[in-house]
Amino acid sequence: MLEPLDYWRFHEEFTVVEAVLLSLDLSPSDHRHDVKPQNYDAVFSGVTKAILNEKLKANIIYHPQNYNDEQHPDWEQTHIDIFDLKAWMVRVSFKPIFFFPKEAAEPDYLNKDHPRYSDQLAACVKVWIAFEDENLLGAKSPKSAMEEWLNSRYSELGLVHQGKISKTAIEECAKVVNWKDKGGATATPTSQPTPP
């Protein structure tokens, strides 16, 4: 017997509102528009900002134009492909049970309650996973690109010392994860000459 949420697995794209509710382990079929579930605003804000900043691909549908020229996205009609959504979720280290059922249980090395948990080890793993998205690299060297990523998330990753950002911890993480330890920026692809 399938649970109500399981039927949503037949979908390969979701509206923003559906994606947010499913991320909270709630069935959109049961959603009441006058009630916001716990943590709805936080997830909704993250998803919509990512779309507007072009970090998450979506087919944006706008409300019919009003009297002024300003248009607003209709988040109940805007659709996201499941593969784009999951790739973005991996990048921001957010893996809700509905979208990642086999990965829902965090491994011990990412579990903050584990007696051998290390912020620095967890940060290394998370930055390594994040860089599955090659767009994060650009023309930077892996080390500098990862340092930039870690700098922007140092607080949530626990890379702090005496309440302030720990540059040493960030540098050490980037050094450990760096897969191009010889240095140098990522090469820009160039076309090869056609042999005679």
Side-chain angles (χ1 to χ4, degrees):
M1 185 73 178
L2 293 175
E3 297 293 329
L5 273 177
D6 292 327
Y7 291 98
W8 285 90
R9 299 190 193 282
F10 290 106
H11 292 245
E12 292 189 337
E13 64 175 23
F14 304 93
T15 68
V16 169
V17 173
E18 289 169 352
V20 172
L21 290 167
L22 291 166
S23 297
L24 297 170
D25 207 28
L26 299 170
S27 171
S29 305
D30 302 328
H31 174 54
R32 287 178 51 189
H33 292 272
D34 59 331
V35 177
K36 284 187 180 179
Q38 186 176 7
N39 299 319
Y40 180 91
D41 286 337
V43 179
F44 180 83
S45 175
V47 172
T48 54
K49 283 178 183 176
I51 292 172
L52 294 174
N53 291 327
E54 299 184 350
K55 294 181 178 179
L56 171 57
K57 185 179 177 183
N59 179 22
I60 303 178
I61 303 298
Y62 291 90
H63 285 293
Q65 194 161 354
N66 298 322
Y67 295 108
N68 56 28
D69 292 331
E70 187 177 359
Q71 290 184 310
H72 299 282
D74 184 341
W75 300 120
E76 293 189 345
Q77 299 296 323
T78 293
H79 283 78
I80 314 169
D81 183 276
I82 188 170
F83 297 106
D84 293 324
L85 180 62
K86 290 179 70 172
W88 174 77
M89 287 176 166
V90 168
R91 194 162 68 246
V92 298
S93 301
F94 176 53
K95 292 188 176 182
I97 294 172
F98 177 84
F99 293 106
F100 301 91
K102 293 180 181 178
E103 302 175 43
E106 279 193 328
D108 287 341
Y109 52 82
L110 293 180
N111 180 1
K112 291 188 176 183
D113 295 324
H114 194 279
R116 289 188 283 118
Y117 175 80
S118 160
D119 283 319
Q120 209 161 317
L121 172 61
C124 286
V125 172
K126 289 178 179 178
V127 71
W128 187 89
I129 292 171
F131 275 75
E132 288 180 5
D133 178 5
E134 295 179 359
N135 293 318
L136 292 175
L137 199 55
K140 306 183 190 78
S141 69
K143 186 172 183 292
S144 62
M146 287 188 290
E147 285 179 352
E148 184 178 299
W149 190 90
L150 292 163
N151 266 301
S152 67
R153 295 163 176 79
Y154 77 91
S155 182
E156 66 187 78
L157 295 172
L159 301 177
V160 295
H161 178 67
Q162 296 181 345
K164 296 181 179 180
I165 184 171
S166 174
K167 295 288 186 182
T168 302
I170 287 171
E171 289 171 5
E172 288 175 351
C173 280
K175 184 177 180 181
V176 166
V177 182
N178 185 14
W179 61 92
K180 285 190 177 178
D181 54 4
K182 303 301 181 188
T186 302
T188 303
T190 56
S191 59
Q192 297 297 321
T194 306

